């Protein structure tokens, strides 16, 4: 996604983080902001960027809104590198999973910088990967798509040929006199634990909480690392726990384990750690009494949060910070207030600071404070499993020979076997291309201009006709519609519209001009294929209007205007980087061209 266009697109939200925001200041800063629509990422999921002005400085907000995560939608954690250990960027996780889902999401839980292990719970598809942090909130997603935020405790047990005993941790090296369970989610091999005794369990069922898990001991090892093949697990004990395991977990015997979450979370299929609680019953929570230091909650900085509205729709919020002049960030309570104002009835914070990241299909949408995206332990994703089209490469196609926006790229993606119908509609609602076919998971191009179907000869003995060359596309609005029904019977659809408009072309303007106090000269030229209403503007690089040079109807042919290097009030413009923009409007829509313009300001010599 073009971040510069998002910056110009608009300042959307009139939010206050416990402080009064001058609405008039916001409107004056971005007069078009209040009318711009959010960007649609995929069906029913939108992204918008907002600027919140406070006495402490501006705050940049990034908000994703999506439907209740059921059916074709799912909210779930993604583990870095599919392993408890190690780290991976949010955008890398999305690219890795692109063939299985279309994803938007944020960074996840707090984690150890040394090995990447998350600090709290990770549960995927009902399988426990790491246990919860009982002093902090966890966010679970129930089977009906409800976000359940609460503190969750953990205790484990194991039993061999003796009494039921304590299982201390899961996918974490055991401490003194402790015993740990390592599943394939940990990695390929257990860590080196001195003075340990290990028992390999195979086959090992999925590590589901609150049920008895029974597996046979296939081998035992002392003081050594042990491989963890798929479908197996390893229990590793130290000290007195090692002595008990050696005596009570004999080869050939069955061990029974139980991973207990309290209170019962049997309705939760996916969960992630983080905290603290931000919103409860629609109200922002000032003090959640969780194990966080004041230094983690009070300073303004980058923040990440997740919430759910009363109708079941979900929210991701990321705020940039530690970037004076652009975004100072928020306190934890200001993030809670923001979620509440966005309509969340429940919500939780995730890791913040340099970890705060919001990304879509491998593209980072916010501005991480490190200056680049940080690798993290896990992420929290809203995933979509229906048909997805990234939209047209060009909003306006202008095949007029000037080398700009001459061609169009269209495509769609399915992640499950699906029956797919593609329709490309030309101006006047004329069907220019239509195709229905069974598609395996993958991405598929849609030709534009559409290639006319070859008409077979009436006489089958005659040679087949030569391929028909595509015709120049009709000017006006085109529509791409893709409908799909997957192998589970779930229907989905995506629709994109774009324009073909060759009216405007061949924009020419100087790359650099010198401006004195008396002004300067910039000749701006262009060609019109037909008459149109034309606006010629000089803008700042972030889209603010500097001067409207022309705004009237022009005839077809070569046209030009001259900018005198001055503002509308008659004062010479300051030196710096600008943009010349020419827009043409007619019955085929709006088409625009831009060129950069550098202004060198020349100051008049001082009179003696």
């Amino acid at each position: 996604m073009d971040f510069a266009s998002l910056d110009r697109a608009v300042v959307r939200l009139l939010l206050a983080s416990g402080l009064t925001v001058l609405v008039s200041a916001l409107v004056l800063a971005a007069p078009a902001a209040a009318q711009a629509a959010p960007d649609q990422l995929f069906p029913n999921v939108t992204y918008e960027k907002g600027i919140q002005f406070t006495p402490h400085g501006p705050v940049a907000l990034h908000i994703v809104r999506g439907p209740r995560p059921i059916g074709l939608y799912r909210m779930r954690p993604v583990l870095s590198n599919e392993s408890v250990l190690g780290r991976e960027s949010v955008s890398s996780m999305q690219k890795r999973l692109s063939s299985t889902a279309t994803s938007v999401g944020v960074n996840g839980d707090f984690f150890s910088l040394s090995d990447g292990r998350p600090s709290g719970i990770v549960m995927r598809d009902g399988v426990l990967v790491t246990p919860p942090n009982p002093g902090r909130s966890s966010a679970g997603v129930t089977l009906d798509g409800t976000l359940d935020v609460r503190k969750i405790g953990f205790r484990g047990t194991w039993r061999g040929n003796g009494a039921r005993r304590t299982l201390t941790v899961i996918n974490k090296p055991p401490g003194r006199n402790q015993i740990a369970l390592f599943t394939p989610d940990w990695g390929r091999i257990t860590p080196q634990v001195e003075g340990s005794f290990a028992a390999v369990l195979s086959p090992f069922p999925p590590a589901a909480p609150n049920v008895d898990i029974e597996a046979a001991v296939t081998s035992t090892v002392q003081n050594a690392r042990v491989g963890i093949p798929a479908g197996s697990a390893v229990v590793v004990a130290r000290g007195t726990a090692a002595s008990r395991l050696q005596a009570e977990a004999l080869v050939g015997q069955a061990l029974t384990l139980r991973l207990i979450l309290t209170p019962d979370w049997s309705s939760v299929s996916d969960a992630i750690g983080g905290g603290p609680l931000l919103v409860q019953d629609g109200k922002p929570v000032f003090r959640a009494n969780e194990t966080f230091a004041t230094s983690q909650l009070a300073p303004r900085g980058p923040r990440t949060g997740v919430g759910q509205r009363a109708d079941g729709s979900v929210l991701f919020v990321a705020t940039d910070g530690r970037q004076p002049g652009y975004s100072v960030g928020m306190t934890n309570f200001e993030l809670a207030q923001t979620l509440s104002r966005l309509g969340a009835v429940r919500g939780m914070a995730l890791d913040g600071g340099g970890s705060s990241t919001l990304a879509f299909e491998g593209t980072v949408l916010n501005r991480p404070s490190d200056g680049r995206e940080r690798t993290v332990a896990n992420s929290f994703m809203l995933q979509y499993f229906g048909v997805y089209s990234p939209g047209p490469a060009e909003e306006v196609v202008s095949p007029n020979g000037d080398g700009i926006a001459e061609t169009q790229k269209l495509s769609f993606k399915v992640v499950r076997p699906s029956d797919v119908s593609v329709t490309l509609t030309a101006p006047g609602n004329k069907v220019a291309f239509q195709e229905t076919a069974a598609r395996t998971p993958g991405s598929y191009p849609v030709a534009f201009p559409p290639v006319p179907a070859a008409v077979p000869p009436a006489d089958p003995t005659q040679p087949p006709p030569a391929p028909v060359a595509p015709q120049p596309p009709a000017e006006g609005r085109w529509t791409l519609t893709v409908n799909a029904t997957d192998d589970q019977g779930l229907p989905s659809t995506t629709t994109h519209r774009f324009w073909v408009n060759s009216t405007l072309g061949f924009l020419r303007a100087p790359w650099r001009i010198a401006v004195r106090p008396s002004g300067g000269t910039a000749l701006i030229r262009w060609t019109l294929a037909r008459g149109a209403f034309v606006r010629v503007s000089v803008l700042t690089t972030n889209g603010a209007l500097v001067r409207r040079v022309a705004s009237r109807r022009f005839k077809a042919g070569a046209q030009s205007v001259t900018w005198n290097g001055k503002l509308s009030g008659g004062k010479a413009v300051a030196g710096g980087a600008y943009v010349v923009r020419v827009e043409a409007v007619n019955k085929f829509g709006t088409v625009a061209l831009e060129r950069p313009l550098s202004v060198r300001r020349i100051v008049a010599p001082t009179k003696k």
Side-chain angles (χ1 to χ4, degrees):
M1 183 171 291
D2 182 356
F3 209 101
S5 67
L6 292 175
D7 279 346
R8 291 197 302 266
V10 266
V11 178
R12 290 268 322 150
L13 300 176
L14 304 177
L15 301 176
S17 54
L19 300 165
T20 300
V21 176
L22 295 178
V23 175
S24 60
L26 181 58
V27 173
L28 290 173
Q35 298 164 5
D39 292 298
Q40 180 171 299
L41 301 181
F42 47 90
N44 302 312
V45 176
T46 61
Y47 162 72
E48 56 192 298
K49 179 182 177 182
I51 299 294
Q52 173 180 324
F53 294 98
T54 79
H56 306 284
V59 178
L61 289 169
H62 305 265
I63 301 118
V64 167
R65 306 171 192 258
R68 178 184 286 273
I70 55 175
L72 291 170
Y73 301 85
R74 187 169 179 186
M75 181 175 276
R76 63 195 300 262
V78 175
L79 197 60
S80 70
N81 305 296
E82 291 302 311
S83 172
V84 170
L85 296 183
R87 297 190 288 167
E88 184 182 9
S89 67
V90 175
S91 62
S92 174
M93 297 181 210
Q94 292 175 344
K95 291 175 182 176
R96 176 164 54 82
L97 297 175
S98 179
S99 63
T100 61
T102 301
S103 304
V104 62
V106 293
N107 60 291
D109 195 4
F110 301 84
F111 57 91
S112 167
L113 288 173
S114 62
D115 63 9
R117 188 179 189 277
S119 67
I121 191 171
V122 174
M123 187 161 66
R124 304 184 299 174
D125 299 318
V127 176
L128 189 63
V129 177
T130 55
N133 183 332
R136 297 178 176 180
S137 286
S138 301
V141 183
T142 66
L143 297 174
D144 68 353
T146 299
L147 186 68
D148 187 0
V149 179
R150 65 174 72 192
K151 290 181 181 178
I152 296 292
F154 169 80
R155 63 186 179 91
T157 64
W158 69 275
R159 183 175 184 176
N161 59 13
R164 187 177 293 273
R165 302 192 184 278
T166 298
L167 176 71
T168 318
V169 291
I170 174 173
N171 287 328
K172 180 181 181 181
R176 184 179 179 183
N177 300 324
Q178 291 185 344
I179 181 170
L181 170 69
F182 290 94
T183 69
D185 287 323
W186 164 265
R188 296 181 179 180
I189 193 169
T190 63
Q192 181 66 47
V193 179
E194 296 298 325
S196 65
F197 181 86
V200 179
L201 308 177
S202 184
F204 191 80
N210 297 343
V211 296
D212 284 339
I213 303 170
E214 188 172 292
V217 178
T218 57
S219 62
T220 59
V221 181
Q222 285 185 299
N223 293 323
R225 303 179 74 186
V226 184
I228 315 172
S232 68
V234 180
V235 285
V236 179
R238 292 180 60 192
T240 56
S243 299
R244 292 193 184 99
L245 183 64
Q246 187 172 8
E248 300 176 14
L250 305 180
V251 174
Q253 281 190 323
L255 251 61
T256 302
L257 296 86
R258 195 172 182 91
L259 311 174
I260 304 167
L261 298 180
T262 54
D264 179 33
W265 240 15
S266 57
S267 62
V268 168
S269 60
D270 299 276
I272 194 168
L277 175 70
L278 291 179
V279 180
Q280 188 172 45
D281 298 326
K283 298 179 180 179
V285 176
F286 178 71
R287 184 177 289 109
N289 296 319
E290 298 183 19
T291 55
F292 289 96
T294 302
S295 60
Q296 293 175 286
L297 305 178
R300 288 183 174 81
R303 302 277 175 183
T304 303
V306 59
Q308 187 169 43
R309 294 159 58 97
D311 62 1
S313 59
V314 292
L315 300 163
F316 285 131
V317 174
T319 176
D320 297 327
R322 300 176 185 165
Q323 300 174 67
Y326 164 64
S327 183
V328 297
M330 288 184 168
T331 68
N332 190 74
F333 184 55
E334 287 168 351
L335 178 61
Q337 291 177 302
T338 299
L339 272 175
S340 177
R341 288 190 181 95
L342 288 170
V345 294
R346 60 190 74 88
M348 187 186 82
L350 295 160
D351 190 14
S355 298
S356 285
T357 304
L358 172 66
F360 168 60
E361 282 292 274
T363 297
V364 178
L365 300 180
N366 72 319
R367 296 183 182 179
S369 62
D370 288 354
R372 56 186 175 86
E373 187 182 5
R374 178 182 291 182
T375 55
V376 293
N378 52 32
S379 61
F380 206 25
M381 301 283 189
L382 177 61
Q383 296 184 318
Y384 170 66
F385 301 97
V387 64
Y388 164 66
S389 170
E394 302 288 348
E395 292 184 6
V396 180
V397 189
S398 182
N400 55 14
D402 68 354
I404 300 175
E406 298 282 345
T407 60
Q408 180 69 283
K409 289 185 178 180
L410 303 173
S411 65
F412 65 91
K413 177 182 77 174
V414 290
V415 299
R416 291 173 178 160
S418 304
D419 292 325
V420 180
S421 174
V422 180
T423 303
L424 190 56
T425 306
N429 291 322
K430 179 182 177 181
V431 175
F433 172 79
Q434 195 164 42
E435 177 185 68
T436 300
R439 298 293 191 182
T440 57
S443 295
Y444 299 88
V446 178
F448 186 84
V451 178
V455 179
D459 184 354
T461 63
Q462 296 299 313
V468 182
Q471 299 299 308
E475 298 200 57
R477 190 173 75 167
W478 288 71
T479 303
L480 172 67
T481 303
V482 186
N483 294 292
T485 301
D486 65 20
D487 56 349
Q488 299 180 359
L490 295 175
S492 58
T493 187
T494 181
T495 300
H496 291 290
R497 296 177 175 86
F498 61 96
W499 293 82
V500 174
N501 189 344
S502 298
T503 300
L504 175 66
F506 303 94
L507 173 63
R508 299 290 184 267
W511 291 100
R512 179 182 298 174
I513 63 169
V515 175
R516 294 175 170 80
S518 59
T521 301
L523 179 63
I524 303 167
R525 298 175 294 163
W526 68 93
T527 300
L528 293 178
R530 59 183 64 84
F533 184 86
V534 177
R535 287 188 292 265
V536 182
S537 309
V538 177
L539 312 170
T540 64
T541 54
N542 64 3
L545 179 64
V546 174
R547 177 73 184 273
R548 184 81 76 198
V549 182
S551 182
R552 60 186 175 85
R553 186 168 183 82
F554 286 78
K555 296 180 180 180
Q559 303 290 348
S560 66
V561 295
T562 300
W563 177 48
N564 61 5
K566 294 184 178 182
L567 303 172
S568 57
K571 184 179 179 181
V573 73
Y578 296 89
V579 174
V580 173
R581 180 179 175 87
V582 178
E583 295 176 282
V585 183
N586 59 15
K587 65 180 180 179
F588 300 122
T590 300
V591 59
L593 293 173
E594 292 184 352
R595 282 180 64 90
L597 172 64
S598 176
V599 172
R600 182 168 63 92
R601 182 66 188 272
I602 298 177
V603 180
T606 304
K607 294 183 179 180
K608 295 183 179 180

